[in-house]
Amino acid sequence: MMFRIESRDPSTSARAGILYTAHGDIPTPVFMPVGTAGTVKGILHRDLKNEINAHIILGNTYHLYLRPGTDIIKEAGGLHRFMSWDMPVLTDSGGYQVFSLAENRKLTEEGAIFRSHIDGSKHTFTAENVIDIQRIIGADIIMAFDECAPHPCDHAYAIKSMELTHRWLDRCVKHFGVTSPLYGYDQMLFPIVQGSVYGDLRRASAEKIASMEMPGNAIGGLSVGEPAEVMYEMIEAVNEILPVDRPRYLMGVGTPANILEGIARGIDMFDCVMPTRNGRNGMLFTSEGTVNIRNRKWKDDFSPIDATGFSEVSRTYSKAYLHHLIISGEMLGAQIASIHNLAFYLSLVTEARERIKEGNFGKWKDETVRKLSERA
RNA sequence: GGGGAGAUACCAAAGCGGCCAACUGGGGCAGACUGUAAAUCUGUUGUCGAAUGACUUCGUAGGUUCGAAUCCUGCUCUCCCCA
């Protein structure tokens, strides 16, 4: 058993559980900081563990394959050892780059041919070699290769894209079955539901994904520009079908409110670049709503970034100081903002977990979402 | 003392008769960012107005011209070279 549900919220579909991996147990709901290139940008592992309380971080197949390359990672003994991170890692397959780097790639039945954004060289990613690369990286949880379809996307294209993703999935699962982990511990493969904003396709895709009977399942292709309400509808449709007793991972989501709404609909795992990227760009997430710390009004506000914040930096440094650092382009500003935001995200899902266990998640969620959508 | 160059908006810097309320950077102000090509990108930045628009600007005082940041004269100031 890789996943155990500890309790369910009576008024929503939220649940609290534990996901067991080779590098540690992960309490869910969980937020996973994104560390695309083998680093959560600007954050030391020490801070990820002690300040942020991260349980698992992401890496990216496409980016790590291009740099430093699989030979280096293999020689290092896998990504965990290479980056000196002894806790769980999940790698995205490169399916998101099919979307975000769409100008630099061509799709074929075989896979995606990318023109490297670094040096222009050509690289083919297939269902099979994406598994091979993720075996070399050695993440605890690896993702099937998919096409993250853009938004808007017409129904005809959405079907075509979903079916391609399903065929790639069959090949991924097959190849996963005939290959072995390289470093002496087990890896889990998660398949990904697609289907754009179409309920019929989402349900069909969820049926397909459920039929693979993998230890966990993911929902992809959301938060790519569609309204949040549409995203919530898709999650509801899909989660009626995905097995209840396995973890559900909503990929790339999202805002604090998105996450709480996702939890309420039965999602267990989230990841998003928002806390780090937006933090670097001067946007803070707080219990009082979002803050653009670059704004003039914080210039002489010497109160802490977040007096009740989980991380030490949130309680120690003032808004005025962070305003100064960010305005001045100082690296410490990006670092403090990233740590604060990640700590906020982690404490938010930790509190959600406690509320689920107490059985009063639903009401708390509604109140919290209202506050989060404000602007401080 | 002699010779030369120049003064443009918060700063730097284009413009050298009408297409100039004035290119472009920086700074300022605001916005965006959702499985990271992002310590990035976008908008805005004389005054008033929601806007068509109106009004006041290119050291300063005059002049030439239908029309001047652009041409002429005086003045003030700055910088460079020689003695």
Side-chain angles (χ1 to χ4, degrees):
Chain A
M1 180 60 85
M2 310 307 292
F3 183 60
R4 185 166 66 84
I5 293 177
E6 296 177 314
S7 48
R8 297 165 191 279
D9 180 64
S11 65
T12 68
S13 298
R15 62 266 192 87
I18 298 180
L19 174 60
Y20 301 95
T21 79
H23 286 86
D25 303 341
I26 302 166
T28 67
V30 67
F31 179 81
M32 308 181 283
V34 179
T36 304
T39 159
V40 178
K41 293 189 192 299
I43 313 295
L44 295 171
H45 297 348
R46 186 181 66 201
D47 292 335
L48 279 171
K49 291 183 181 182
N50 302 333
E51 294 298 303
I52 293 163
N53 202 23
H55 299 99
I56 170 172
I57 61 173
L58 257 66
N60 182 276
T61 302
Y62 169 86
H63 289 283
L64 291 169
Y65 162 88
L66 287 182
R67 237 174 10 197
T70 47
D71 50 342
I72 296 295
I73 293 177
K74 197 169 190 172
E75 201 178 328
L79 181 62
H80 288 87
R81 282 202 183 172
F82 182 57
M83 65 185 290
S84 303
W85 173 256
D86 57 9
M87 292 174 73
V89 172
L90 179 154
T91 41
D92 181 37
S93 60
Y96 187 73
Q97 279 62 44
V98 171
F99 161 77
S100 66
L101 300 176
E103 298 157 24
N104 293 348
R105 55 79 176 160
K106 208 182 293 179
L107 279 187
T108 68
E109 182 62 33
E110 179 65 9
I113 303 159
F114 283 94
R115 189 160 29 81
S116 162
H117 67 280
I118 300 165
D119 63 7
S121 55
K122 280 191 178 174
H123 304 270
T124 302
F125 287 74
T126 67
E128 291 78 17
N129 73 13
V130 157
I131 296 296
D132 291 334
I133 297 166
Q134 292 184 100
R135 287 291 196 194
I136 292 169
I137 293 171
D140 300 273
I141 300 169
I142 71 176
M143 302 306 298
F145 195 42
D146 67 331
E147 179 190 1
C148 177
H151 180 83
C153 166
D154 62 51
H155 194 266
Y157 185 84
I159 293 181
K160 219 179 112 189
S161 169
M162 179 191 76
E163 289 176 344
L164 179 65
T165 290
H166 290 174
R167 289 193 298 275
W168 285 354
L169 174 59
D170 287 332
R171 288 163 51 193
C172 281
V173 169
K174 185 177 175 195
H175 197 70
F176 183 74
V178 300
T179 55
S180 300
L182 272 56
Y183 310 113
Y185 53 83
D186 284 337
Q187 296 177 286
M188 289 180 257
L189 173 66
F190 283 18
I192 305 171
V193 174
Q194 287 292 341
S196 188
V197 294
Y198 304 103
D200 57 330
L201 302 187
R202 285 285 170 183
R203 281 185 285 273
S205 188
E207 296 285 1
K208 168 68 180 175
I209 270 54
S211 76
M212 307 308 287
E213 300 187 333
M214 293 286 116
N217 300 295
I219 305 171
L222 291 175
S223 64
V224 289
E226 79 286 356
E229 284 306 322
V230 172
M231 173 168 78
Y232 300 150
E233 284 170 29
M234 295 301 114
I235 295 168
E236 287 166 20
V238 165
N239 278 354
E240 277 178 24
I241 296 164
L242 292 181
V244 180
D245 63 348
R246 315 246 166 133
R248 299 175 180 136
Y249 166 27
L250 179 59
M251 306 184 76
V253 174
T255 65
N258 290 162
I259 288 172
L260 295 187
E261 296 295 353
I263 291 171
R265 289 165 175 78
I267 301 291
D268 307 291
M269 303 163 69
F270 302 85
D271 78 282
C272 191
V273 303
M274 228 179 220
T276 44
R277 180 192 285 165
N278 289 29
R280 286 196 302 282
N281 293 329
M283 180 178 177
L284 307 181
F285 295 94
T286 77
S287 51
E288 307 301 312
T290 63
V291 168
N292 184 347
I293 200 66
R294 295 187 332 246
N295 287 176
R296 185 188 193 85
K297 61 180 169 181
W298 307 116
K299 189 178 182 175
D300 56 357
D301 186 331
F302 302 105
S303 65
I305 295 164
D306 185 350
T308 59
F310 177 83
S311 76
E312 192 190 338
V313 297
S314 313
R315 288 178 264 114
T316 305
Y317 298 107
S318 70
K319 297 187 185 82
Y321 181 55
L322 185 55
H323 168 89
H324 160 70
L325 294 178
I326 293 281
I327 287 285
S328 307
E330 288 291 339
M331 346 194 273
L332 183 60
Q335 193 177 15
I336 291 172
S338 296
I339 293 172
H340 163 79
N341 280 348
L342 284 173
F344 177 77
Y345 266 64
L346 265 296
S347 67
L348 186 72
V349 295
T350 299
E351 182 164 8
R353 188 170 198 278
E354 288 163 7
R355 299 290 179 167
I356 294 165
K357 288 189 150 188
E358 291 166 5
N360 57 9
F361 170 80
K363 187 173 168 237
W364 171 81
K365 185 268 287 180
D366 289 339
E367 289 165 2
T368 307
V369 163
R370 203 171 309 125
K371 267 195 290 180
L372 287 171
S373 53
E374 286 168 10
R375 187 143 201 158

